[in-house]
Structures are given as structure tokens and as C-alpha cells.
Amino acid sequence: MISRITQVARHLARPRPNFVHNSAFSAASSGTIASRVMATPDERQSRTIHTAACLIIGDEVLGGKNLKRVEVIEDDEDEIIEAVRRMSDRYDFVVTSGGIGPTHDDITYQSIAKAFGLKLILHDDAYKRMVKMSKPRKSEPNFSWDVDSPAKTARLRMVELPIDESRDLSKQAVFPREELWVPVSIVNGNIHILPGVPRLFESLLDGLKPSLVKRLVDPEGKGTTRIIFSTPMAESAVAGYLTELAAKVAPKGVKVGSYPRWGKQNNSVTLVGKDKEYLESLIPEVEQNIKGKRVHIEGEDDQPEQVPL
């Protein structure tokens, strides 16, 4: 979860494992990918649109602390393999969500197993918990765990986990909630595979907290201070000053943010860093230059909208 520049550099510099990926898609599409990379701007702007992407940028979206990246990808083996390898290398704690159900398009387990050269192995404890805790379904009145069937095969897909047979099994699958049979599969030491159902995802992630908190560089968030300012000035009016301020405070590890508040009278400026005393010393200067004031909650000084009579 905590991304450090030195760790990223070390990960990228070390020899990568031999994760050879020989999918038919990769071989067949290599020429297409090369041609798209070499396309001119005019060609990109005029060609038929088959695919689209959305890149959301901003510290405020991520929360500004440990979470450094959020990606949404399709149910595609190549996409999953590329993403989990890259994220496992670059980040200390990685969570995936979705794609671990019983249907054909639930390919997360098999894709992540392939990414790290692992086998999918029936996890005995997870299977026993599933059998014990699963409730009968009206749509499957004749289902039996003692009889092989397509329905049983489908269910088993949810407890066949990527396993590294050279490592301790207890480190590769955990059960954060005693009331749930659903395991959290842990691959390559830092990839935690969770379901996409929001209620289950939240419950299992919350159950992981006790084991994670002690590993956080700043468990209670006390090491980071965020100061919010409210300013009536437009972003363009304070941009010059904020650019100078950002350059001045960067050596101290301070980040300067500016956020418009559409439909409101005031915009927000933020200072985020670990040296609280230094941050506090900047308050008078910032208030003066943005003609604003420090607030403790964004929007606390909003005035009711003036409606013309």
C-alpha cells in the first residue's frame, strides 16, 4: 500500500522473474499494437473508435495517503496479467476486486496464477467452509456436494486458488471473517484477491485490517498533516503564486493543491506534508497571497447562494 521511490527504483532495477506470456492474443496482436503506437496524431484523431479509456488524475481522488493508484480493466487475461505483475512490483499492498465467481467470465484466479507461473489448487479449508456455510438454492433443488455436476464444478472454481507449492499455505489464503467461507487469496506476497460484491469486499478488507495496520508506515495517519484554505479568488488568479509556492516547499516534502468548487463562492487550496510545524508557519503567507483563510472543513464558510429577486 505504501509506495516509496527507493523501493520502486529497486523493484524496477532488479532482474524480473521469467514470466513468459505466450498467449495467442499477444502473438496475433503484436503487429496491430506496433502500428497503433506508430500512428500519427492526425491518424489517431480520425480513425474509427473501437476502444476508449478514462484516466482520472488527482491526489484528492485517491485520498492523498497510502492509496496511489486505482485501475479498472476488463475481463481479459492479458490485461489482468500485465496489471498484477506491474502493481505487485511497484506497490507494497495490492487489492483486486471482482472476477472470482463461478461463471466463465470469472477469470481472475486463473489469470493471476498464470501471471506468476502458479497452479490452481483446490484449497481444502475453503472448500470445507463453502460446503458447511452454503445454503440450499431454490434454483438448484437437486444439488448435492456428493455428486459431480456442472453446478458443483462451477462452485469449485471459487475455491481453486493460485498456490505457490514452495511456500507456506497459511500465508497464501486467509479467512478474515469467520462468518464467511470466502477466502482472501494472497499471491506473490502482496496481491490480495477479493470479490467484487461491495458488501463482501468491504467486509473482508475490514477483516484484514488487524494484520495490516502494524505494517503501515503511519498507522493512524498522524504523520501527515493537511491544511485547507478557502479563497474567493479564481484558480487562474492564484496559479502564479501557487506555482512559486510549490517549488519552494517541495524540498520539504510538501504538496500544494488547488481545487475549484463549481457553483460555490470559494475555491480550495491545500498543503499536505509531514512537518506540521513548517506547514503551520506557511499559513499567514498563504492566506495573504490567496486573499483567503484557513478552514478546518472544506465548505464550512460557504454562504447561501444569492437568488436575484
Side-chain angles (χ1 to χ4, degrees):
M1 184 179 288
I2 313 301
S3 176
R4 306 181 185 88
I5 295 177
T6 54
Q7 288 179 314
V8 172
R10 184 167 65 248
H11 283 317
L12 295 179
R14 72 187 183 190
R16 291 179 61 86
N18 184 25
F19 297 139
V20 178
H21 182 44
N22 295 318
S23 73
F25 173 85
S26 295
S29 64
S30 59
T32 301
I33 293 173
S35 65
R36 295 177 73 86
V37 170
M38 296 175 65
T40 66
D42 286 339
E43 289 171 336
R44 294 174 188 276
Q45 195 166 357
S46 61
R47 66 191 177 201
T48 302
I49 299 173
H50 293 283
T51 59
C54 175
L55 180 63
I56 300 172
I57 302 169
D59 287 346
E60 294 299 295
V61 179
L62 295 171
K65 292 184 179 179
N66 297 327
L67 187 62
K68 298 300 181 184
R69 190 175 189 87
V70 175
E71 293 187 22
V72 181
I73 61 176
E74 58 187 318
D75 292 312
D76 179 87
E77 184 177 88
D78 297 88
E79 294 269 2
I80 297 170
I81 288 173
E82 187 280 328
V84 296
R85 287 178 180 171
R86 170 169 44 81
M87 288 186 149
S88 183
D89 271 353
R90 295 184 181 181
Y91 304 102
D92 299 319
F93 177 79
V94 180
V95 173
T96 74
S97 173
I100 59 172
T103 59
H104 70 284
D105 58 340
D106 292 312
I107 60 171
T108 298
Y109 283 147
Q110 69 189 56
S111 299
I112 294 180
K114 191 169 184 178
F116 297 100
L118 305 177
K119 296 179 181 179
L120 284 179
I121 298 176
L122 181 70
H123 191 282
D124 190 55
D125 285 348
Y127 174 65
K128 290 177 180 178
R129 290 168 68 97
M130 174 191 275
V131 173
K132 181 179 180 180
M133 298 183 183
S134 295
K135 297 178 180 179
R137 300 174 182 175
K138 292 182 179 180
S139 61
E140 298 174 319
N142 298 320
F143 177 81
S144 171
W145 289 105
D146 299 322
V147 178
D148 288 336
S149 65
K152 180 179 177 180
T153 299
R155 294 192 189 191
L156 291 180
R157 283 167 53 85
M158 296 186 284
V159 287
E160 291 173 343
L161 310 181
I163 299 296
D164 182 343
E165 295 178 286
S166 69
R167 299 184 62 235
D168 184 347
L169 183 61
S170 66
K171 294 182 177 180
Q172 301 182 65
V174 296
F175 299 92
R177 292 295 186 188
E178 286 301 318
E179 69 275 17
L180 299 174
W181 64 260
V182 185
V184 172
S185 176
I186 305 173
V187 178
N188 208 36
N190 63 347
I191 299 173
H192 298 68
I193 307 174
L194 275 70
V197 179
R199 180 177 59 83
L200 293 177
F201 177 90
E202 185 176 352
S203 178
L204 291 171
L205 188 59
D206 189 60
L208 287 173
K209 281 184 180 179
S211 63
L212 298 176
V213 168
K214 59 187 178 184
R215 294 173 53 199
L216 293 176
V217 67
D218 182 20
E220 299 180 8
K222 294 180 179 179
T224 301
T225 297
R226 182 170 183 260
I227 297 178
I228 309 172
F229 299 88
S230 177
T231 173
M233 299 178 70
E235 279 198 302
S236 56
V238 297
Y241 165 68
L242 294 182
T243 299
E244 295 175 0
L245 176 64
K248 182 178 78 171
V249 302
K252 290 278 193 176
V254 176
K255 298 188 71 173
V256 179
S258 175
Y259 307 98
R261 303 182 65 240
W262 300 108
K264 303 295 182 181
Q265 292 182 335
N266 297 331
N267 293 324
S268 297
V269 170
T270 62
L271 300 178
V272 179
K274 294 187 176 182
D275 189 337
K276 184 176 181 180
E277 184 176 350
Y278 177 66
L279 290 170
E280 296 280 353
S281 73
L282 295 171
I283 292 176
E285 172 198 335
V286 176
E287 288 182 329
Q288 179 180 353
N289 281 278
I290 67 172
K291 296 181 172 57
K293 65 177 182 178
R294 178 186 184 178
V295 294
H296 294 283
I297 300 175
E298 187 176 54
E300 69 179 33
D301 61 336
D302 284 346
Q303 298 295 320
E305 185 177 359
Q306 300 296 320
V307 181
L309 299 175

